[in-house]
């Protein structure tokens, strides 16, 4: 799992200071606990939240926007996986929308190359591949941001350690700092079908 960390809310607040985040209208955020405060901030600021169903078990993505909440439903009701499943609007593969920023969780990340380690199951990469294949994000220009603890920053993930489907990050946000990756590895585009099992 993506580890939760002390200061996750502070990291989310710092993410909120990024001009790219302020300008974003639709933000994809992973469903893990450390990014709960990010999902809450996205909705509180009136943006559209795009979030995947955990491990894509029960569907693809859901969107949520405070403007469409039913009476009595609060932002806090909608930032957990159960809340998303209950109150979110399912998104099909063919819906037309544009993702302006992607926020991912990480186990570790390199500030030089942007290489990250996630759960090790490849779901963030598969989601990226599908969204880029369907034209819902631009693999070259859409920013990828991670919120992590300072202790999760490592300096020993070279570009060559990434596989062809790995998605590096552009910006690392911790409770104490913002790091713009200086020599980011290239981002992939599309789905690498040869890497997928029949399931």
């Amino acid at each position: 799992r993506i580890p939760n960390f002390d200061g996750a809310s502070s990291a989310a607040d710092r993410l909120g200071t990024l001009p790219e985040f302020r300008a974003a209208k639709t933000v994809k955020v992973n469903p893990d606990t450390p990014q709960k405060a990010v999902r809450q901030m996205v909705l509180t600021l009136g943006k559209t939240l795009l979030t995947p169903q955990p491990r894509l078990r029960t569907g693809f993505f859901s969107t949520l926007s405070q403007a469409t909440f039913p009476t009595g439903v609060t932002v806090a009701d909608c930032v957990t996986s159960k809340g998303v499943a209950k109150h979110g609007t399912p998104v099909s593969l063919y819906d037309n929308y544009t993702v302006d920023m992607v926020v991912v969780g990480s186990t570790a990340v390199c500030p030089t190359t942007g290489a990250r380690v996630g759960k090790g199951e490849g779901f963030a990469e598969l989601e990226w591949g599908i969204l880029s294949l369907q034209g819902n994000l631009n693999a070259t220009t859409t920013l990828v941001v991670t919120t992590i603890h300072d202790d999760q920053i490592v300096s020993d993930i070279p570009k060559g350690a990434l596989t062809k489907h790995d998605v590096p990050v552009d910006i690392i946000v911790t409770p104490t700092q913002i790091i713009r990756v200086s020599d980011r590895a290239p981002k992939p585009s599309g789905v690498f079908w040869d890497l997928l099992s029949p399931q």
Side-chain angles (χ1 to χ4, degrees):
R1 70 174 56 217
I2 300 295
N4 203 358
F5 61 91
D6 289 337
S9 293
S10 297
D13 290 343
R14 195 172 291 276
L15 167 64
T17 69
L18 292 173
E20 296 94 339
F21 176 81
R22 292 177 186 166
K25 295 179 181 177
T26 298
V27 183
K28 176 187 175 290
V29 186
N30 64 295
D32 299 294
T33 301
Q35 283 69 49
K36 181 178 179 180
V38 176
R39 296 190 296 276
Q40 185 159 346
M41 179 175 60
V42 168
L43 291 173
T44 299
L45 294 176
K47 302 178 186 295
T48 297
L49 172 66
L50 179 76
T51 191
Q53 292 299 317
R55 293 178 168 82
L56 303 179
R57 284 185 303 238
T58 58
F60 185 45
F61 291 108
S62 295
T63 59
L64 297 104
S65 172
Q66 194 171 188
T68 62
F69 286 178
T71 302
V73 174
T74 68
V75 168
D77 294 329
C78 298
V79 294
T80 64
S81 294
K82 287 183 180 178
V84 169
K86 183 175 182 180
H87 302 294
T89 301
V91 175
S92 80
L93 283 172
Y94 305 103
D95 285 345
N96 186 23
Y97 58 92
T98 300
V99 177
D100 301 307
M101 175 178 283
V102 173
V103 180
V104 294
S106 299
T107 301
V109 65
C110 176
T112 304
T113 63
R116 62 175 281 276
V117 177
K119 293 188 188 82
E121 296 176 326
F123 285 103
E125 286 74 20
L126 179 57
E127 293 155 10
W128 174 272
I130 292 170
L131 289 169
S132 60
L133 179 67
Q134 296 299 107
N136 300 117
L137 65 75
N138 185 315
T140 302
T141 61
T142 302
L143 286 181
V144 180
V145 183
T146 190
T147 56
I148 60 167
H149 193 275
D150 293 89
D151 290 343
Q152 293 173 270
I153 297 174
V154 300
S155 58
D156 58 351
I157 310 179
K159 284 183 182 179
L162 275 70
T163 60
K164 63 182 181 179
H165 72 287
D166 285 327
V167 180
V169 304
D170 298 283
I171 302 174
I172 301 165
V173 183
T174 79
T176 67
Q177 60 184 322
I178 294 171
I179 301 171
R180 292 183 180 266
V181 173
S182 58
D183 188 25
R184 178 182 54 74
K187 294 177 189 167
S189 180
V191 175
F192 295 94
W193 300 106
D194 58 307
L195 299 179
L196 295 179
S197 70
Q199 290 79 16

